Structure formats: C-alpha cells, structure tokens
C-alpha cells in the first residue's frame, strides 16, 4: 500500500457518516465497484484515534502527485484536459447505479445517492492525486473523500462542477465564401488567451469545457486586435467566423523557374523563321541561341535593343540568355556577336530559339574574278578614248568618224548594217 496523504481531523468535516463508520463505507464501495477495480479511485482510509488523523492509501504501485504539483508544469489547456479526464472516470463509476440510465434496483439507487456524497472533497488540487503511465493512461485517486473543509465558506460540488471538454472547430471564411486559410486568430476565455492558425481549408480546432464561453479576435496590425465574435461552448454547435473579403492577403509572386544547370532547354521544332523584329511575349523568357548548323553558342556577346530596352549580355554555358521587361507591343532587334539574329516564336512555348547566320565571306576566287572584270572594263574604256582621239569627224556625215577625213570617194562600207554609206580608210 502506498501512502498518499495524512489529514488532521480538525481540518475537515464529514458529510457522509461518522468517522468511525468510514472504514465500513469504504468496504461497501469496494464490494460494489470491485468488478473492474473502479473502487481504486477512492483512497483507502486508515484512522488513528489517538493522533486524530486519517491516512489515505492506494493499491496502485506507481508514483502519484497531487494536482497542485501537476498543474504547476501544465498549460491551461492541459489542465482542462486532466480535469475532463477525471470527470469522465467519476461519471463512469456513477453510471452503474444512476437511475437515469435505467437502473431500477432500489439498493443500487440508494448506493448512487451515497456515492454523490462520497465524491465531495475539500479541494481539487490538494485532494486529487494523479499518475500518468508510459502509454498515456491516467490514474486518479481521491483522498479526503466524503469530507468538506472545516471553514465557514466550504465549497461543495467541486468535482460535479467540472465541465467535460468539447472539441471546438472554428470555420473561418471570407464574405465571398472562400476559406480564410493561414489566418492567425486570437482567442480569450476569462484571463486565458491563446492563438491558433487556420489550415488550408480555413479551419482550426481546440478543446474547451462545455458550457463556457470564449471570444475570437483578428489581428490586423501588431498589438491591435479586432473583436470578431463571442461563442458559447455547447455539446453540438458550429462555430463560424466571417472576415471581410478586402482583408484577404495578396498571393505572393511566383518566381520564374530557371532551366536546370547542364540541361539545355527544349528546342522548338524548325519551321518558318520569324523576323528579328517580331514582338516578344509579355513575361520573362529564355532565349536559346544556336547557329545555322544547330550548334549551341555559349559565351557569345548578345545585344538586344529597341524601344524601351537596351540589353547587353552573354549567353551562358547552355547557350541561353534571358529577356526582362519586354512588352508584347514593342519590337526589338538582336545581334549575336557581329551577326544579326533571327528569333523564332512558337505560341505558348516556354523557350524561344534564336538562329544566327554568319556573314558571307569573299573568297579569293571571287576577288580575282572581280579584279579581272573591273580591269577589263577600265581598259575597254581607255581604248575607246584613244580611238576617238585618233580620228576626226567625217565632213560628209555628222556623227560618224573615218580614218581619212575628206576622202569619202572610193569603196564604201556600212556601220551597224545601216545607211548612210561612207568611205572607210583602207
């Protein structure tokens, strides 16, 4: 037997029977509640007549502590849970003899009235002992049961006044009907305050004693609360909070996802190439740069210019560069190195391709041919000038020339197969 507490008889007043009959009363309780060992919730009394005190023992072997010690390290929420568990165990004992539950045996009904007096105790925190097993099971033992405090203002019904806990589910929505998710709410019950964050469906839950009330607040700014609504905790009730739609926070911007390092972006299928001045999409785009041989161009300088934009950058190791703040109504020109780029736009594509065609280079053969042609033309023009300077205008026909001016008699010839005829110097 484990001693829990010793009580001086001068500090308590019996309400059940005389102290000398307390042992017989315990034996009656143990006899009627012995089936499931529920009698252990009542400590076994041992009266010392000479010292005028009562010692209270338990058959449990684990370590027990009074609720005053337990509550010192518990939050108000845990304290309510412990009180509710105690009330449930007491109610389970009373239910075996409660006439409201269909019990008709007169002896049981009389014993039920006796139990209602036995569960009277002078103090909840000093007279109720508790132990918690490794699996979370709670054991309770009542000491000084059947007694009241020997004071003028002794309180009765301490255990009966304990209210069982009920789960309170808060459903928080906006006035437009959408759930108010991830909203921090403040709650208050008497001197107790706590916070709760709504989940993705706009719900949060906690436990409160039935029959109590609480208030809900919204925190818009630091240290400023806005009262929303007050509630009463009932057995079956719905608790809903409605927030203004304009209080709905703006969703955070979604950052663009750059391509994975070492993995080139997908290349759109080849087709008709768009001109370099084609309008670009509104949002940030990745431009993949290749040459006319479909080779990726890495580390090459890029120049993009036009109305409202002048970007100079270099393609990365994947042959990509990025365009920022380019509006779809504006056109741009692009140049890769010293060659113009042609941008291919594919509707609804995540990446765009720019193909660079090298400038045509003049070969040696072309230079030689060009030189010969130009030289021939120059020589022909020079020879014609020498020929004209060596002749005089024929006096017979204006506009024609001959080698022997004035000697127009003799043989005749034609120039161009047309008349008039004139003599050609032989």
């Amino acid at each position: 037997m484990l001693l829990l507490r010793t009580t001086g008889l001068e500090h308590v007043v019996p309400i059940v029977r005389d102290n000398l009959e307390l042992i017989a009363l315990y034996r009656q309780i143990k006899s009627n509640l012995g089936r499931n060992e529920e009698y252990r919730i009542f400590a076994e009394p041992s009266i010392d007549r000479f010292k005028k005190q009562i010692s209270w023992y338990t058959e449990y072997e684990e370590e027990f502590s009074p609720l005053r010690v337990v509550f010192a390290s518990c939050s108000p929420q845990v304290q309510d849970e412990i009180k509710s568990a105690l009330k449930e165990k007491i109610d389970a004992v009373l239910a075996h003899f409660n006439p409201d539950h269909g019990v008709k045996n007169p002896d049981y009904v009389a014993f039920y009235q006796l139990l209602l007096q036995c569960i009277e105790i002078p103090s909840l925190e000093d007279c109720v002992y508790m132990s918690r097993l490794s699996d979370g099971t709670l054991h309770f033992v009542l000491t000084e049961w059947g007694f009241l405090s020997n004071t003028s203002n002794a309180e009765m019904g301490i255990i009966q006044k304990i209210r069982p806990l009920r789960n309170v589910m808060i459903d928080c929505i906006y006035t437009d009907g959408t759930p108010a998710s991830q909203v921090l709410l403040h709650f208050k019950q008497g001197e107790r305050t706590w916070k709760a964050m709504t989940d993705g469906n706009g719900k949060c839950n906690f436990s409160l004693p039935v029959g109590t009330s609480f208030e809900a607040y919204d925190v818009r700014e630091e240290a400023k609360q806005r009262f929303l609504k007050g509630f009463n905790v009932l057995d079956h009730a719905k608790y809903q909070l409605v927030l203004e739609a304009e209080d709905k926070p703006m969703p955070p911007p979604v950052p663009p996802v750059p391509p994975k390092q070492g993995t080139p972006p997908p290349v759109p299928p080849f087709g008709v190439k768009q001109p370099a001045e084609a309008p670009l999409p509104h949002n940030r785009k990745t431009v993949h740069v290749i040459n006319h041989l479909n080779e990726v161009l890495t580390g090459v300088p890029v120049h993009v210019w036009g109305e409202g934009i002048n970007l100079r950058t270099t393609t990365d190791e994947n042959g990509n560069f990025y365009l920022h703040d380019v509006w779809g109504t504006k056109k741009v020109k692009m140049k890769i190195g010293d060659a113009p780029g042609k941008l291919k736009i594919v509707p609804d594509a995540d990446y765009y391709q720019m193909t660079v065609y090298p400038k045509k280079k003049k070969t040696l053969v072309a230079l030689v041919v060009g030189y010969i042609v130009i030289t021939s033309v120059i020589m022909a023009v020079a020879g014609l000038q020498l020929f004209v300077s060596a002749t005089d205008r024929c006096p017979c026909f204006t506009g024609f020339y001959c080698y022997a001016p004035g000697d127009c008699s003799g043989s005749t010839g034609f120039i161009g197969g047309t008349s008039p005829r004139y003599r050609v110097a032989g």
Side-chain angles (χ1 to χ4, degrees):
M1 300 289 286
L2 176 65
L3 176 63
L4 299 177
R5 181 181 178 84
T6 299
T7 306
L9 294 178
E10 71 276 11
H11 299 302
V12 293
V13 176
I15 62 171
V16 179
R17 296 181 182 181
D18 185 81
N19 294 337
L20 298 178
E21 298 183 6
L22 188 61
I23 304 299
L25 179 59
Y26 174 77
R27 291 172 181 171
Q28 184 181 0
I29 293 174
K30 187 174 182 178
S31 175
N32 290 336
L33 299 176
R35 292 171 297 179
N36 299 319
E37 297 186 346
E38 293 175 312
Y39 66 90
R40 289 188 177 188
I41 200 170
F42 294 95
E44 181 175 350
S46 176
I47 301 176
D48 189 333
R49 299 179 184 178
F50 299 100
K51 295 182 179 181
K52 295 183 179 181
Q53 64 184 22
I54 303 176
S55 299
W56 304 90
Y57 296 87
T58 180
E59 294 182 5
Y60 290 115
E61 298 180 355
E62 64 266 24
E63 182 179 355
F64 279 77
S65 300
L67 291 186
R68 183 177 299 279
V69 175
V70 176
F71 287 170
S73 58
C74 293
S75 65
Q77 175 70 22
V78 176
Q79 294 180 24
D80 288 340
E81 293 174 357
I82 292 175
K83 293 177 184 179
S84 180
L86 171 64
K87 185 64 165 56
E88 289 178 1
K89 289 185 177 294
I90 295 293
D91 289 343
V93 172
L94 297 176
H96 298 304
F97 310 97
N98 191 346
D100 295 337
H101 293 176
V103 177
K104 297 182 180 179
N105 188 322
D107 295 334
Y108 282 2
V109 173
F111 185 68
Y112 172 76
Q113 298 298 328
L114 182 62
L115 285 178
L116 292 179
Q117 296 179 350
C118 289
I119 62 176
E120 291 288 352
I121 54 177
S123 169
L124 180 69
E125 296 184 350
D126 295 325
C127 299
V128 178
Y129 283 68
M130 188 196 84
S131 71
R132 185 189 298 271
L133 303 184
S134 58
D135 61 355
T137 302
L138 300 181
H139 286 163
F140 296 97
V141 177
L142 304 183
T143 64
E144 299 184 11
W145 50 267
F147 287 86
L148 294 178
S149 177
N150 189 15
T151 59
S152 58
N153 57 347
E155 183 180 2
M156 295 186 64
I158 292 178
I159 294 180
Q160 288 292 80
K161 292 177 181 177
I162 296 177
R163 301 178 184 274
L165 291 181
R166 293 293 182 266
N167 182 55
V168 177
M169 177 67 73
I170 301 294
D171 183 16
C172 192
I173 63 173
Y174 291 108
T175 51
D176 59 3
T178 58
S181 59
Q182 303 303 313
V183 174
L184 181 62
L185 299 173
H186 287 208
F187 299 93
K188 182 178 180 181
Q189 185 182 60
E191 298 298 325
R192 175 189 171 194
T193 59
W194 67 97
K195 303 176 183 179
M197 179 77 74
T198 59
D199 59 17
N201 297 319
K203 300 182 184 297
C204 64
N205 67 296
F206 42 84
S207 297
L208 290 177
V210 66
T212 60
S213 60
F214 67 97
E215 298 174 347
Y217 295 85
D218 178 24
V219 180
R220 280 182 157 182
E221 300 178 8
E222 189 67 23
K224 290 185 179 181
Q225 291 185 344
R226 178 180 59 171
F227 174 75
L228 295 177
K229 195 174 182 181
F231 298 95
N232 292 321
V233 182
L234 306 177
D235 283 330
H236 303 284
K238 295 182 179 180
Y239 311 91
Q240 188 176 73
L241 291 176
V242 180
L243 304 180
E244 296 295 332
E246 55 265 22
D247 294 338
K248 187 184 301 185
M250 296 296 295
V254 179
V257 180
K260 295 182 179 179
Q261 292 296 327
T263 303
V267 179
F270 288 99
V272 179
K273 295 181 174 59
Q274 298 291 334
E277 295 187 359
L280 292 172
H282 289 70
N283 54 342
R284 176 180 185 267
K285 289 295 183 181
T286 301
V287 180
H288 188 55
V289 182
I290 61 175
N291 62 12
H292 64 293
L293 300 178
N294 203 30
E295 297 173 340
V296 178
L297 301 182
T298 62
V300 297
V302 178
H303 185 197
V304 182
W305 73 96
E307 183 181 356
I309 184 172
N310 187 11
L311 170 66
R312 292 183 182 270
T313 183
T314 304
T315 59
D316 60 17
E317 61 183 2
N318 298 317
N320 301 329
F321 71 93
Y322 308 97
L323 289 174
H324 299 268
D325 300 328
V326 179
W327 284 264
T329 57
K330 299 187 178 182
K331 298 181 180 181
V332 298
K333 295 181 179 181
M334 302 182 183
K335 185 166 67 174
I336 306 296
D338 60 350
K342 293 186 177 181
L343 183 67
K344 177 188 292 184
I345 293 183
V346 179
D348 300 326
D350 293 330
Y351 299 91
Y352 291 90
Q353 175 182 298
M354 173 182 285
T355 306
V356 180
Y357 295 89
K359 288 185 176 181
K360 295 182 180 180
K361 297 182 179 179
K362 296 180 180 179
T363 63
L364 180 60
V365 176
L367 292 175
V368 173
V369 173
Y371 175 77
I372 294 174
V373 171
I374 294 174
T375 304
S376 300
V377 172
I378 294 174
M379 292 178 65
V381 172
L384 180 60
Q385 289 177 348
L386 290 175
F387 171 76
V388 171
S389 63
T391 61
D392 291 324
R393 190 178 296 273
C394 180
C396 302
F397 302 98
T398 301
F400 295 90
Y401 297 87
C402 63
Y403 292 101
D407 188 10
C408 296
S409 60
S411 62
T412 61
F414 297 90
I415 294 181
T418 61
S419 59
R421 292 179 294 174
Y422 63 95
R423 184 181 296 274
V424 179

